[in-house]
Amino acid sequence: MRPSGRKLDEMRLVSIETGVMRHAEGSCLIKVGNTHVLCTASVEDRTPPFLKNTGLGWVTAEYGMLPRATNTRNRREAATGKQGGRTIEIQRLIGRALRAGVDRSALGERQIVIDCDVIQADGGTRCASITGAWVALRLAVDKLMKAGQIVSDPMIGHVAAVSCGIYAGQPVLDLDYDEDSAAGVDGNFVMLGDGRLIEVQMSGEGAVFARAQMDQLLTLAEKGVSALVAAQKAAL
């Protein structure tokens, strides 16, 4: 039995509200159970120096967690003068995931910066961030196309992510904090909407795992991503 009472292959309740930030070119608030992430997309008419005069655009991301997003207060990273390793790792993951779903030549020489701010955390913040970030990016690109600044749609397809793991010896979909903190195996699956894989992060936290178990988790992830893509479409 899962702590939440959910079935092994049951997602938490997902909701995505768009247009929550007045000034951003794209924005949404995604809620996956009790994990809530504010995602914004900002368009900049410049690219990193290494892309100058290449005709290619760039999508990058920043990630952060508010001090009371968790049950105890975390010190702001700005107060320490540097980002933590976890923060850097997650925002790089978000950027890689989004770029996999974008034709950067069609985007043109501009940069879109995605900000993902976790306002409440209950497991799966990186996965919720990726899923919400794609919606914010989609809205920003739509605005560019409507203004005639982009001729062809650079969005290749939906991008979403979900966590799966082995909890109490059973493969489960969409881990919350209680499950994530006690999971023997933890995995994050990032996919395109058509089921193709972008990135898989899997580790044995307290146990090793067999190929068959990895296949079970992948099957669960496919179901979860399908549900998340449906939520993205409904939000848009």
Side-chain angles (χ1 to χ4, degrees):
M1 177 64 71
R2 304 180 70 173
S4 62
R6 286 182 286 145
K7 297 177 182 178
L8 300 181
D9 63 348
E10 184 178 352
M11 291 280 297
R12 289 174 287 180
L13 181 64
V14 178
S15 69
I16 304 175
E17 179 185 358
T18 60
V20 295
M21 297 293 285
R22 178 181 179 184
H23 300 294
E25 282 77 19
S27 67
C28 75
L29 174 62
I30 182 169
K31 297 180 179 180
V32 183
N34 287 321
T35 289
H36 303 170
V37 186
L38 177 64
C39 303
T40 61
S42 302
V43 178
E44 300 178 346
D45 290 324
R46 62 183 180 88
T47 59
F50 67 88
L51 288 177
K52 188 175 182 180
N53 299 323
T54 64
L56 298 175
W58 191 246
V59 179
T60 188
E62 294 188 11
Y63 168 94
M65 189 176 291
L66 296 186
R68 280 315 303 266
T70 57
N71 58 0
T72 57
R73 184 183 187 276
N74 294 313
R75 191 179 184 193
R76 294 181 190 273
E77 290 180 325
T80 67
K82 64 177 182 179
Q83 291 180 308
R86 177 180 181 274
T87 296
I88 294 171
E89 185 261 325
I90 291 176
Q91 63 190 27
R92 286 176 176 171
L93 169 64
I94 297 168
R96 288 195 304 271
L98 295 175
R99 288 192 295 273
V102 173
D103 178 352
R104 294 195 291 120
S105 60
L107 184 60
E109 284 199 36
R110 58 176 53 83
Q111 175 172 261
I112 301 181
V113 181
I114 308 295
D115 287 289
C116 298
D117 292 289
V118 180
I119 60 179
Q120 185 168 282
D122 185 35
T125 61
R126 73 185 63 199
C127 293
S129 294
I130 291 168
T131 303
W134 185 88
V135 173
L137 177 61
R138 173 76 267 181
L139 292 169
V141 167
D142 285 346
K143 191 169 185 178
L144 288 170
M145 293 182 66
K146 186 175 181 180
Q149 294 177 267
I150 294 179
V151 177
S152 60
D153 189 358
M155 303 292 278
I156 296 170
H158 287 254
V159 175
V162 70
S163 64
C164 299
I166 306 295
Y167 172 78
Q170 296 289 327
V172 296
L173 172 63
D174 188 25
L175 284 71
D176 56 28
Y177 177 76
D178 288 338
E179 294 168 332
D180 188 35
S181 60
V185 177
D186 185 23
N188 299 298
F189 297 81
V190 188
M191 299 182 184
L192 287 171
D194 61 11
R196 285 181 290 169
L197 290 165
I198 295 173
E199 188 159 338
V200 176
Q201 300 176 327
M202 284 193 69
S203 59
E205 303 290 343
V208 296
F209 55 96
R211 168 66 181 271
Q213 290 175 306
M214 185 172 68
D215 290 342
Q216 288 178 313
L217 295 182
L218 179 56
T219 298
L220 286 175
E222 289 172 338
K223 180 176 182 179
V225 166
S226 178
L228 290 168
V229 169
Q232 290 174 331
K233 290 179 178 179
L236 293 168

